[in-house]
Amino acid sequence: MSSSDDDTPLVKAKTGAVSQDRIPKALDKAMDKQAPSNGHVEPGISIRMGPVDKMDVDEPATNGNTNGKRKARVSTTNGKTYKDASNSEDDDKPLSKRRRTSQQAKPPKDDSSSELSDVPLKARTLPKASAEQIGQSSDSDTPLTTKLLRKKESIEKAADKEAKAIRGKEKATAKRKSKIASDSDDDIPLAKKKAPVKKGKQVKKEESDSDAPLAKKPAAKKAKAKPVVTTPAKKGKGKVKAEQTEEDRLAEEEEEEYRWWEDAGKSDGTKKWDTLEHAGVVFPPEYEPMPKHVKFIYDGVPVTLHPEAEEIASFYGSMLNSAHNVENPTFNKNFFEDFTTVLDKTGHAKDKDGKTVKIKTFEKCDFKPIFEWFESERAKKKALPAAEKKALKAEKETEEAAFMHCMWDGRKQKVGNFRVEPPSLFRGRGEHPKTGRVKKRVTPEQITINIGEKAKVPEPPAGHRWKEIKHDHEGTWLAMWQENINGAYKYVMLAANSDIKGQSDFKKFEKARELKKHIDHIRKDYRKELKSEKMVDRQRATAIYLIDQFALRAGNEKGEDEADTVGCCSLKFQHVTLKPPNTVIFDFLGKDSIRFYDEVEVDQQVFKNLKIFKKEPKTTGDDIFDRLTTSALNKHLTNYMAGLTAKVFRTYNASYTMARLLKEMKAKGTIQEKVKAYNDANREVAILCNHKRTVAAGHAGSMEKMIEKINGLRYQVWRTKMMMIDVDTKVKKKKGAEYFERPEDLDTEWMKQHQEAEVEELRQKITKKFEKDNEKLAAENEKEMKPKELQERLEKATELADKYKKENKTGKVEAEGKGPTVDKLETAVEKLNQRIENMKIQMEDKEGNKEVALGTSKINYIDPRLTVVFSKKFDVPIEKFFSKTLREKFDWAIKSVDEDWEF
DNA sequence: TTCGGCACTTAGGACTATCATG
DNA sequence: CATGATAGTCCTAAGTGCCGAA
């Protein structure tokens, strides 16, 4: 049967080449052979990967490793229990659970050197090895971590739901009604929704459509609130409503808070404001030449530069300590080129006799004195008394106060980045061809101001004028300029906690929630289209599959003069390695030149397709999706839902994953434990989105320290056990000799070293304390202690050393503490073991977290309402999850949901 | 259909404040 | 009370995606 999966009629290709629109049957078949669809995967290792295409069920392999689990699955997409309709059993399989063979698998190359801080850098350079080589080398250590307990989960989930259903039968029905009323068909089984009723109509008028949730939802809520007072489900909302009126009154008296998320109508999505007043931008301070004695050195000779050139030299000099830039040849080359241009213009340098020195070679430049001067300045600033620092800060604040806020439709709103970017050296990431170039000072003449017609236009600095004054009501920016290196547009916009940003955030998440209603349909479609005989469709379906399953970015085309990074649509031949039967290895640099490495199992058909897309004559450097662009992809996606683009999948899958994880969580334990559990879920999402950070410089060191500490504790455990024998020789028999054995890895050599280290540590501590005490005495004008006193105090350390020495000699440990008994010692051992366990957990946590950044997903991908609900339900203060700024940013979420809310 | 222009979100790293810890 | 680790903030680069003109 496996050869019949291509049941669609095939149009004969004209030339038979892959690049034709149609996929020749022969090729498709050939691919079948190369990638045997019935290739066996050991069920023990394999997590079920790609969702099974119904059309492929005749292929044993794909089903083989999912075995019985699938049958029992109940779709939980909407948080409601119902039998999954039709053939999309796996559509809702939570992302993070599926298909990552190596969720946290480190690429083989990284493994060797986790202690080196430059590893990430290395990892970020494009691998030179061929794709095949990578495949092979990683063969050996396909790390299979994180296997999530799918079975258990679905059982728990079902039980959970049942319980819930019983608890709130009434509630549920009320909710159901209200939900329907409020235009959310969350509860309707997939089967019923899948008909693309809206399809055609929605296509073009996305503007108004995508706004629908924003506009309609709150309105619906409000309308509901009145009549529903009696139903339990509505109580919450009724209350909110009541509070609101009160608050409104209060608000009017003070600041007046605008609860836009409760405001119906408002904003058709294009017009963003009616009136807009603001103070413009703050320019960076003019360059202040360094004191005369600070010289740039050329070829060993201290020379003087024209201030303009000196400023540029100072950019470079001040960053001598960040090897990241200064050791990058491109950075140096670009810098020197731009530096030379300015030097040519300003007459190069003068030596102390006023003779011109021409600067020709970068290697002969010495920026050290400049660097040192900057360092000393920095130190000076740091050493400033706290009071002075504060005063300085306050002064700056008052100076900038006017720029901090604007008036947006008459409401005071915080402005985000009102400071114009100061000149500097461009720090492009990864292998950016322009990194190191001089980013010039921005003049008022380059800046366009966007402001209300009736508002007072901010004064440009004396003797200057703005480039242009606009009154663009459809823009949310206050000022704009273009930077000189890439021609990038820079905008001054409102801060994240402003209404306007909040609104678009809200919209974003509502859009993702809407995708929930269409996702099954979409998944079904792309699975079907994976087999389309049209190359374009097949590529598109495959791409959507990757975006959906692995949270890849869209992957727009990039220019020549940018770093060479990719996303889904721009994946190149060498970024994807195929390992039969159905394992795919992704290895490429994504946004910010962050490496994406993942070894996953995919749907058999996807594997086959990728093989076709990589078919000769394609080779390194060629596009895998050569018939696909992001705009074609997005255009296709809009057919399903207005405003649906590739990016929405990331939001959806991230939030959906978080929602699932939080829902599965048990409300038990201390607050700390709950927070930890939340962070673990957060981490899973971060891993899904490949949000990374560079490993902290001291990571390996602090790791080692922890290990030593743990070993120290283990040693103490052993010693305590030995003390038991000292107290009562009989325990040795009772507990067995094994109990008293010192762990093997803590061999005699280690022990001696450890003892010495302990003694030394104690000695240091005593000495330090002594010195400090003395200082104190000196400060109080009293007599300092004699060195003899120190000697006496150090006796303790010697005693310890002696004790250890004796222990080593006799092989016995004298019991410590008063009235030691076996019982007491046993509790002591227990306590020590507990501490060891805690530390181990802490350590693992740290290690697992060392290159995962949680912030990005929390700020951009996880619907904040999920966190708010979690906080309320589990009774953990929201402060534990959101910092002050985040609480402000997510104000709308905090104030708008009760604990019944679901993503 | 492609391309450049434009506006907006997403991103990691540098810098800074705060907290724990010894 | 210093000191190092961690959390929080700031900065700006690097994406996405839309639009209209060629």
Side-chain angles (χ1 to χ4, degrees), chain A residues 523-572:
Chain A
R523 285 176 178 163
K524 209 176 123 207
D525 269 11
Y526 72 61
R527 233 163 269 145
K528 194 162 38 174
E529 283 179 347
L530 284 174
K531 294 185 207 149
S532 167
E533 84 276 19
K534 274 172 96 186
M535 185 60 117
V536 192
D537 292 354
R538 226 187 245 220
Q539 290 200 350
R540 194 183 56 214
T542 310
I544 300 176
Y545 175 95
L546 298 183
I547 287 167
D548 184 27
Q549 306 297 318
F550 308 119
L552 299 191
R553 294 190 183 83
N556 279 315
E557 221 44 66
K558 289 192 77 186
E560 201 75 324
D561 44 11
E562 292 175 271
D564 195 7
T565 62
V566 298
C568 183
C569 294
S570 48
L571 279 171
K572 301 272 185 311

Side-chain angles (χ1 to χ4, degrees), chain A residues 53 91 399 430 587 879:
Chain A
D53 193 323
D91 279 355
E399 260 172 46
D587 192 351
E879 287 79 12

Side-chain angles (χ1 to χ4, degrees), chain A residues 327-341:
Chain A
E327 280 165 18
N328 176 341
T330 315
F331 189 90
N332 288 340
K333 185 187 135 276
N334 284 332
F335 158 72
F336 195 61
E337 244 175 65
D338 285 1
F339 186 38
T340 313
T341 308

Side-chain angles (χ1 to χ4, degrees), chain A residues 553 564-567 588-596 690:
Chain A
R553 294 190 183 83
D564 195 7
T565 62
V566 298
F588 60 87
L589 299 184
K591 181 176 179 180
D592 292 314
S593 293
I594 295 296
R595 186 177 184 186
F596 184 102
N690 200 41

Side-chain angles (χ1 to χ4, degrees), chain A residues 206-221:
Chain A
E206 50 174 38
E207 206 57 68
S208 51
D209 254 45
S210 67
D211 280 352
L214 179 57
K216 273 188 210 160
K217 264 232 161 112
K221 260 189 208 165

